[in-house]
Amino acid sequence: MIVYHGTTLEIQKPEIIRNEVGRDFGFAFYTTDIKEQAQRWAARRAKILMRINGVTYLPIVNIYNWNEDTDVRIKKFSGASMEWLDMVVECRSNPDYAHGYDIVEGKIANDNVGETVSYVVQGIMRKEDAIERLKFEKINNQIAFCTEKAISDLSFIESYTVKEMN
């Protein structure tokens, strides 16, 4: 399966990202099977870094082949379920939480979804109400490679610079 990672660097050898607390599925190397989503991630990352550092960054999408026929523990969420929300809330609020999977695939808590998740984390919204609210959101897909064993199943194909996005 082809997966994409949007950033500002060519990454031939993926690594688990451990410096970003509050990620949906914990510390991992995050990819998606949606090319356009990776392009948006890359463009967003370039804009954020430019605001922080005052330097222009190029948005880059890395393309990998994921060998799915290996012996790893995979958790797949098909939608915004109570189980998915429990994991996202736990991973975002507890940096020491370890879910025990090599790979987690599921929906991404984008800005609108992230706001709903933050309401649950803060105790402002009940989980049941959050799930109802999330049924109406268009939620993109992410695949988190959470262990070195999982990352070893990724083979770098190529990278490209994202042209200006609308």
Side-chain angles (χ1 to χ4, degrees):
M1 169 188 245
I2 300 297
V3 294
Y4 307 91
H5 176 81
T7 188
T8 57
L9 302 168
E10 179 177 270
I11 303 174
Q12 293 186 15
K13 187 175 179 340
E15 297 178 358
I16 295 172
I17 299 170
R18 298 191 187 281
N19 61 348
E20 295 181 9
V21 176
R23 302 296 298 264
D24 291 349
F25 302 137
F27 298 126
F29 183 75
Y30 283 81
T31 67
T32 181
D33 54 353
I34 304 168
K35 183 178 182 178
E36 295 77 16
Q37 180 180 325
Q39 291 173 345
R40 287 190 302 273
W41 282 349
R44 181 173 183 255
R45 182 76 176 149
K47 287 177 186 174
I48 289 169
L49 288 174
M50 188 171 131
R51 271 183 280 187
I52 293 170
N53 300 321
V55 177
T56 300
Y57 290 84
L58 294 175
I60 296 173
V61 171
N62 294 277
I63 306 171
Y64 304 92
N65 183 56
W66 171 24
N67 177 13
E68 296 177 270
D69 297 326
T70 61
D71 184 29
V72 294
R73 296 162 299 183
I74 300 176
K75 178 62 182 175
K76 290 186 179 186
F77 294 104
S78 59
S81 65
M82 185 63 73
E83 185 182 16
W84 170 84
L85 182 59
D86 284 341
M87 181 179 283
V88 171
V89 167
E90 192 64 40
C91 287
R92 283 187 168 208
S93 60
N94 181 358
D96 296 323
Y97 176 71
H99 49 64
Y101 297 105
D102 296 300
I103 297 171
V104 180
E105 181 176 354
K107 302 308 175 187
I108 181 170
N110 61 21
D111 290 344
N112 292 339
V113 176
E115 180 180 77
T116 301
V117 170
S118 73
Y119 291 156
V120 173
V121 170
Q122 297 171 46
I124 297 170
M125 182 181 285
R126 294 178 332 126
K127 289 180 182 177
E128 295 80 8
D129 296 331
I131 294 298
E132 279 302 310
R133 183 177 184 182
L134 294 173
K135 285 181 183 177
F136 300 102
E137 290 290 337
K138 181 179 183 281
I139 307 175
N140 286 321
N141 198 45
Q142 63 185 340
I143 304 163
F145 292 80
C146 306
T147 64
E148 295 302 325
K149 183 177 182 180
I151 285 178
S152 71
D153 293 332
L154 288 176
S155 301
F156 179 78
I157 297 173
E158 66 180 338
S159 68
Y160 66 91
T161 302
V162 177
K163 304 297 182 219
E164 192 170 321
M165 299 195 62
N166 297 334

